[in-house]
Amino acid sequence: MDSRGKTEIVVQGIAASKGIAYGQVFLYLQSELEVPRYTVDPDKRMAEIARFEQALVTTRQQIAQVQQQVKRNLSEEEALIFDAHQMVLEDQALIGETIREFETSGLNIETCFNAVATRYIEAFAQIDDEYLRERAADIKDVTRRVLHVLLGQSAQNLSELVEKRIIIAVDVSPSEAASIDRSAALGIVTDGGSRTSHAVIVARSLKIPAVVGARDLTAKVQNGDWVVLDGYEGIVIVNPTQATLFRYGKIQEEKKTFENRLLAAVDQPAETLDGVRVTLRANIEKTDEVGLVKQYRGEGVGLYRTEFLFLNSHRVPDEEKQYEAYRTIVEGLAPAAVTIRTLDIGGDKPLPGDPHLIGPEANPFLGFRAIRMCLENPELFKNQLRAILRASAHGKVELMYPMISGAEELERANALLDEARAELRTRGQKYDEKMRVGTMIEIPSAALSADVLAEKCDFFSLGTNDLIQYLLAIDRGNNRIAHLYDPTHPAVLRVIKQVVDEAKAKKIKVSVCGEMAGDPIYAPLLLGLGIDELSMTPPLLPAVKFLIRNTKFSDAKKLAAEALKQTDPRKTYALIEAFYNERVKE
Ligand code: PEP
Ligand code: MG
């Protein structure tokens, strides 16, 4: 029981944005819209269609307004999501089907639009693909808006929130997230959603905790209830007891002290206790992350995932648009190097604006992805290569190919790069003649061809996310087998070691840019295996640096040698965990 006599309830969800908050609940329940159903007189049918068209125009204007608001509050890239909403409103299939439904049924346009949109939403929601499922959320969001306009009601929004509260909602749509009053939200919890949902993006940008997947939490709380929100562990505690509050008070203090310790070292070099310097760089996806890279002192960018520029636009960006984006990053971080990875589309990331370029596949992760698609579409690929080369005239650029499976692909990609260089020379446009070109090692066949690949490029970057997925045959996005996805599997360590040895023999550098690089527990192991550079999402840099500064390289080497002898991944994990705990007291 808490001090008000209510029973404490603990709900486990998924941690989505770090931090701890304590406060009262703002329960955000969107009531189901009631759509009236009636028959329209035949002589009023033209007017009914005009009413529909007018509602689409009004909704478009509303969305444009929200988009402006988000651009101001968040960023240009976040605002791009509303382009997708505008596209729903321009979707001729959806509009045409609504009008056909209206002409055949004679029912009011709200009913027809709602029925057609619901069919679309259900169809998208069933697709086994996160990106396409998100489209269902877009259609749902837009449908509500159109219905509100048709019914003459103003849409509910989270701007009612004025006092500092923890928002608990079934789900928060992108436009609702945009209307959150930033000074009043202490944290966000949703019954549904995923780590990539828009509410989470907003929470992270506000640096407030968030938990998703809290199942039916909305049914268990009331407005004004007190809750503790633990964004580290994904836990929500309703009506916390004094003992819980005391525990969380202590956790909060400890986290704060630990974070301050990490940040205190942010300006120190990433150097081991026995003087070995490690390069720590950042992974980014958007141009506006340059500030974050600087804030956390990333030594440039080790992986810029260019596909997000493509995913966020609804058509393939042309050379000029790409050049501008790349140049912004390169100039923003000069003289530090920026490693620009060519398009890694396909797999779980379909190419927007041109669904036929990739099309549905039975095994998208083993399919027409990344460099494979680029080599088959040389003009699209060369557009990007020229844009990257042109950006190289403005700072230090490195180019990197994803999903190379062997020497022949690397040769073909390099031949197209030569063509792109020649085209720029003809145009009289500048580029850096000495731009280094690297290969990601993320397919087992590439790892086993490392000796040959090392002859044909300037550096390697291990994409452990995919490398582990393909080595162990574990779909990296499948929750059911997530426990089998193990970076300490002996095969993974052996392959990393082999790639490093081949690279060292050919005197080229090897970095790691998969998620493994950003987890401080793996850092000593990777260093001990001979990795020169780690690249990770910027806020993780201080924790990895802290560990490096508290580790002796000679000990890391011993740790790696010991780990390579293990046959049981759990024992390896225990070894590296003990190594970590000896050096870090959180
Ligand atoms: C990887 O596979 O480890 C990687 C860094 O690339 P992505 O996660 O973008 O596939
Ligand atoms: Mg990859």
Side-chain angles (χ1 to χ4, degrees):
M1 295 272 183
D2 75 349
S3 56
R4 296 165 206 93
K6 291 190 170 179
T7 310
E8 179 177 279
I9 308 169
V10 180
V11 174
Q12 178 74 58
I14 300 164
S17 175
K18 282 187 185 171
I20 289 170
Y22 173 57
Q24 280 180 289
V25 171
F26 176 81
L27 190 59
Y28 182 62
L29 292 178
Q30 270 197 328
S31 52
E32 277 300 308
L33 259 179
E34 279 198 31
V35 181
R37 182 188 172 94
Y38 53 90
T39 306
V40 177
D41 291 342
D43 61 334
K44 300 222 174 88
R45 293 210 173 152
M46 291 296 282
E48 188 72 352
I49 292 178
R51 192 165 74 85
F52 180 47
E53 279 163 357
Q54 184 52 47
L56 296 178
V57 173
T58 309
T59 313
R60 235 170 257 152
Q61 288 162 349
Q62 277 185 2
I63 292 177
Q65 264 173 16
V66 177
Q67 188 164 31
Q68 284 309 321
Q69 196 182 329
V70 173
K71 242 185 225 169
R72 275 197 306 276
N73 293 345
L74 285 168
S75 73
E76 190 120 346
E77 263 105 347
E78 303 310 352
L80 284 173
I81 181 123
F82 294 99
D83 281 350
H85 287 199
Q86 296 288 22
M87 277 174 68
V88 174
L89 286 171
E90 282 157 23
D91 186 332
Q92 288 313 314
L94 180 69
I95 297 169
E97 229 176 285
T98 303
I99 293 178
R100 270 195 302 283
E101 177 110 3
F102 170 66
E103 280 163 351
T104 42
S105 71
L107 291 169
N108 60 322
I109 203 77
E110 291 90 337
T111 301
C112 300
F113 179 64
N114 196 24
V116 173
T118 305
R119 283 205 293 274
Y120 270 65
I121 294 163
E122 280 166 4
F124 273 104
Q126 273 164 16
I127 299 176
D128 188 17
D129 176 314
E130 189 168 346
Y131 177 82
L132 290 176
R133 272 202 308 274
E134 295 275 332
R135 301 285 72 77
D138 291 337
I139 304 176
K140 210 167 171 178
D141 202 334
V142 173
T143 303
R144 275 190 81 85
R145 279 186 183 278
V146 174
L147 289 174
H148 272 118
V149 173
L150 282 169
L151 297 168
Q153 300 170 358
S154 63
Q156 272 183 306
N157 63 51
L158 280 163
S159 57
E160 294 163 39
L161 177 64
V162 283
E163 282 173 62
K164 283 190 178 298
R165 293 284 163 102
I166 293 176
I167 298 167
I168 299 189
V170 176
D171 226 334
V172 179
S173 72
S175 51
E176 286 164 341
S179 67
I180 291 175
D181 182 333
R182 271 122 222 290
S183 59
L186 289 174
I188 303 176
V189 186
T190 58
D191 282 357
S194 74
R195 281 203 182 94
T196 53
S197 52
H198 209 75
V200 173
I201 295 173
V202 171
R204 288 201 193 123
S205 79
L206 294 176
K207 294 199 168 62
I208 57 172
V211 169
V212 296
R215 296 207 188 89
D216 56 348
L217 180 66
T218 47
K220 294 181 180 154
V221 291
Q222 288 171 357
N223 253 327
D225 275 352
W226 288 83
V227 296
V228 168
L229 173 55
D230 178 350
Y232 294 101
E233 303 294 335
I235 295 172
V236 185
I237 304 174
V238 188
N239 308 320
T241 61
Q242 287 304 324
T244 302
L245 287 179
F246 182 70
R247 187 157 49 85
Y248 269 98
K250 281 192 71 162
I251 294 175
Q252 213 165 0
E253 250 171 51
E254 281 160 14
K255 295 273 185 204
K256 194 92 224 116
T257 317
F258 184 60
E259 260 165 39
N260 287 341
R261 268 170 74 203
L262 296 184
L263 289 174
V266 84
D267 284 320
Q268 307 293 322
E271 192 173 292
T272 61
L273 291 169
D274 45 358
V276 174
R277 185 73 169 76
V278 184
T279 307
L280 295 187
R281 302 171 75 194
N283 290 357
I284 61 167
E285 292 168 359
K286 294 182 299 183
T287 51
D288 62 4
E289 285 174 296
V290 166
L292 271 186
V293 179
K294 289 185 176 163
Q295 183 187 341
Y296 292 105
R297 310 292 191 271
E299 296 167 78
V301 166
L303 168 64
Y304 168 33
R305 291 181 162 103
T306 57
E307 52 275 12
F308 285 86
L309 188 66
F310 290 66
L311 290 173
N312 286 335
S313 332
H314 50 82
R315 55 182 67 92
V316 173
D318 60 15
E319 179 185 323
E320 219 47 43
K321 188 157 183 217
Q322 291 187 51
Y323 163 63
E324 285 306 329
Y326 305 156
R327 181 182 162 173
T328 305
I329 297 174
V330 172
E331 283 183 341
L333 290 168
V338 175
T339 308
I340 305 181
R341 178 174 75 180
T342 61
L343 188 57
D344 183 5
I345 211 88
D348 56 344
K349 298 175 274 195
L351 190 63
D354 199 349
H356 308 297
L357 211 48
I358 297 180
E361 296 181 294
N363 282 309
F365 273 117
L366 303 180
F368 197 47
R369 184 183 162 189
I371 200 74
R372 302 168 182 180
M373 193 280 280
C374 288
L375 292 175
E376 296 296 310
N377 291 281
E379 289 316 314
L380 180 139
F381 190 37
K382 279 200 292 175
N383 261 342
Q384 178 169 45
L385 296 176
R386 283 192 303 268
I388 298 173
L389 282 165
R390 286 171 60 194
S392 74
H394 300 276
K396 188 153 184 241
V397 171
E398 295 173 341
L399 181 146
M400 171 162 91
Y401 304 119
M403 295 287 291
I404 291 283
S405 67
E408 196 245 2
E409 270 170 354
L410 179 55
E411 278 164 12
R412 284 175 64 199
N414 276 336
L416 288 169
L417 183 60
D418 278 339
E419 281 182 29
R421 286 189 183 108
E423 283 156 10
L424 291 183
R425 281 196 299 274
T426 311
R427 286 192 204 161
Q429 283 173 322
K430 287 198 200 125
Y431 61 87
D432 175 9
E433 304 271 358
K434 298 205 191 78
M435 181 184 76
R436 292 176 1 117
V437 178
T439 300
M440 285 196 75
I441 303 289
E442 50 184 348
I443 298 185
S445 58
L448 296 170
S449 318
D451 54 338
V452 193
L453 295 175
E455 304 267 2
K456 300 178 193 299
C457 68
D458 303 314
F459 64 92
F460 285 158
S461 189
L462 279 155
T464 45
N465 303 342
D466 278 313
L467 186 59
I468 297 171
Q469 139 162 292
Y470 295 126
L471 260 180
L472 305 184
I474 307 289
D475 176 348
R476 63 192 254 193
N478 184 339
N479 279 340
R480 235 167 130 184
I481 46 173
H483 61 289
L484 299 173
Y485 187 95
D486 194 345
T488 53
H489 191 292
V492 174
L493 303 191
R494 284 180 202 176
V495 164
I496 295 179
K497 175 80 170 57
Q498 188 176 336
V499 171
V500 170
D501 289 348
E502 296 295 353
K504 297 256 141 121
K506 300 279 167 19
K507 299 198 167 37
I508 68 169
K509 290 205 165 189
V510 192
S511 71
V512 175
C513 64
E515 295 310 302
M516 195 177 173
D519 188 337
I521 217 156
Y522 297 116
L525 178 61
L526 292 173
L527 296 191
L529 288 170
I531 297 293
D532 309 290
E533 183 179 304
L534 300 171
S535 191
M536 66 209 74
T537 181
L540 303 177
L541 285 160
V544 173
K545 184 184 278 184
F546 180 87
L547 198 68
I548 289 170
R549 289 183 56 77
N550 284 285
T551 295
K552 267 193 186 166
F553 182 61
S554 55
D555 289 341
K557 273 197 356 207
K558 282 186 214 143
L559 176 72
E562 205 46 47
L564 280 168
K565 283 191 222 145
Q566 302 298 323
T567 49
D568 180 348
R570 284 167 303 182
K571 292 214 175 108
T572 308
Y573 193 84
L575 270 180
I576 63 172
E577 190 175 40
F579 190 95
Y580 174 89
N581 287 338
E582 276 164 31
R583 284 153 186 85
V584 178
K585 302 264 176 294
E586 280 197 31

